[in-house]
Amino acid sequence: LFRSLDRGYRFGFVGSGDSHDGHPGLAHLVMESGGLAAIITDKLTRESVLAALRARRVYATNGPRILLRTALDGYPMGALIPKPEGVSYQGELSVRVIAETPLERVDLIRSGELVHSIAIDGLLEVTLRREIKDLVSGEYLYVRAVQEDLGAAWSSPIYVE
């Protein structure tokens, strides 16, 4: 995964179950959990869903219905941030998580490295803000929210062009 991202591939993260039982999104009927793909869109139309997929406004969970939103200075998950050549980017990352079971932590991953792990201490909802400094072209950020029961969600990365 990180090698692909580090080589400049730009994709969003989605999860899915693999139960082969004909119940997409309901893999828990056959097994304990199955991944889910979440798509962030304003409208429930084919065109809006396709636009969200193409813009990488998606995130993955390993089964729980965790709500996750991330943005860097208003650029949502999946966004490509334009950056002038030779200048580093700085901005505020905002994260909103609503979990099914108590949260253990929220991790910030920058270009494949865990740079912050924020203990949440059992809350079901959390809003966080972190200043991000010195991003350069080719870097990416994403967030991982982890529940105490190890249910988790991964935002699609935000990319610096």
Side-chain angles (χ1 to χ4, degrees), residues 3-64:
R3 287 183 180 165
S4 296
L5 293 172
D6 291 340
R7 288 181 181 156
Y9 289 97
R10 305 293 181 242
F11 52 86
F13 296 167
V14 296
S16 63
D18 194 15
S19 64
H20 301 287
D21 69 347
H23 295 97
L26 298 174
H28 64 280
L29 295 175
V30 177
M31 55 189 178
E32 285 186 35
S33 67
L36 294 174
I39 300 171
I40 301 169
T41 183
D42 293 333
K43 299 176 187 173
L44 293 177
T45 64
R46 288 179 185 199
E47 296 79 18
S48 293
V49 169
L50 183 57
L53 286 167
R54 287 182 172 154
R56 297 170 298 278
R57 289 190 312 270
V58 296
Y59 65 94
T61 83
N62 62 357

Side-chain angles (χ1 to χ4, degrees), residues 20-134:
H20 301 287
D21 69 347
H23 295 97
L26 298 174
H28 64 280
L29 295 175
V30 177
M31 55 189 178
E32 285 186 35
S33 67
L36 294 174
I39 300 171
I40 301 169
T41 183
D42 293 333
K43 299 176 187 173
L44 293 177
T45 64
R46 288 179 185 199
E47 296 79 18
S48 293
V49 169
L50 183 57
L53 286 167
R54 287 182 172 154
R56 297 170 298 278
R57 289 190 312 270
V58 296
Y59 65 94
T61 83
N62 62 357
R65 273 102 171 118
I66 298 171
L67 298 177
L68 175 62
R69 297 291 184 275
T70 62
L72 182 60
D73 284 344
Y75 289 100
M77 64 178 81
L80 302 175
I81 298 176
K83 188 193 77 57
E85 196 62 39
V87 179
S88 64
Y89 183 89
Q90 301 188 64
E92 183 179 75
L93 179 71
S94 61
V95 178
R96 176 86 170 129
V97 183
I98 302 174
E100 284 188 331
T101 64
L103 286 162
E104 177 182 298
R105 69 183 192 277
V106 173
D107 297 331
L108 172 61
I109 293 90
R110 178 176 176 168
S111 297
E113 299 291 325
L114 175 65
V115 293
H116 293 293
S117 188
I118 302 136
I120 304 301
D121 300 326
L123 297 174
L124 292 174
E125 296 184 31
V126 66
T127 300
L128 303 168
R129 298 196 186 288
R130 288 286 182 268
E131 188 168 341
I132 305 298
K133 296 182 179 182
D134 302 322

